[in-house]
Amino acid sequence: LRIPDDDGVAVSAEPASRILEAATMSESFTVEAWVRPADLLQRGPARIVSTSESTDLADVNFHLGQERSCLSFRIKTGPGDVAAWLITEPVFVTAQPAWHIAVTYDRGAIDVFVDGALSDRFDVNHVPLDDAWDPMLPLIIGNEATLDRAFRGDVHLVAIYGRALDESEIASNYEAGANAG
């Protein structure tokens, strides 16, 4: 998926309910993406992928994005506007064919992997995801529903797993590569 300008976006026609169901059954999930930003300084954060309907804290289950050279990950961790916004830096520092990004969530423990290696680790408040997340939000790739958080660049792959992948699985996915030609 190539997103050349600010109004590019892919939005699911229905709510991302299967993502919520899988994550709530295990209280864990993994968001994985292969991306090539067109601009290493884009901000907003520029949304790579999210389940959301706006930029308000109460309207975002999670987002994976780019904030200049940093990777941004936000997750709703309670009712209303209770969320954790986590920044991993530096990630997007030099041009390369694509970055492999994976973020795992497992009952409040968050691991961030860049190009197959553990880059950051966070602990956040754990509330059952079905108590925190809105089941009616769509899956969005490349922007926000409000069209004001465009990720300009290429999204080669987005995968969301209903469990936290382990380090060896993430390393294996990185080694397998992406069609970043």
Side-chain angles (χ1 to χ4, degrees), residues 114-181:
V114 177
D115 292 341
L118 181 64
S119 180
D120 224 337
R121 181 168 273 158
F122 302 94
D123 289 308
V124 299
N125 182 43
H126 171 68
V127 174
L129 295 176
D130 60 351
D131 291 340
W133 282 14
D134 181 343
M136 299 310 295
L137 299 181
L139 178 69
I140 302 174
I141 298 174
N143 206 329
E144 188 54 74
T146 53
L147 299 179
D148 61 350
R149 300 290 193 271
F151 174 81
R152 288 175 305 284
D154 299 332
V155 179
H156 298 282
L157 173 133
V158 169
I160 302 172
Y161 303 86
R163 63 183 179 84
L165 298 182
D166 65 33
E167 289 188 46
S168 66
E169 291 171 306
I170 290 169
S172 178
N173 288 356
Y174 170 69
E175 290 301 321
N179 182 11

Side-chain angles (χ1 to χ4, degrees), residues 73-91:
F73 184 73
R74 183 175 7 169
I75 182 168
K76 194 168 184 188
T77 58
D81 63 357
V82 178
W85 185 16
L86 312 168
I87 298 290
T88 296
E89 58 181 306
V91 174

Side-chain angles (χ1 to χ4, degrees), residues 1-2 4 11 14 16 19 33 45 50 61 68 73 76 80 88 97 105 110 117 120-121 136 159 170-171 179:
L1 176 64
R2 176 158 288 152
V11 182
E14 300 290 327
I19 293 170
S50 68
N61 288 340
R68 300 180 191 227
F73 184 73
K76 194 168 184 188
T88 296
Y105 172 88
I110 297 174
D120 224 337
R121 181 168 273 158
M136 299 310 295
I170 290 169
N179 182 11

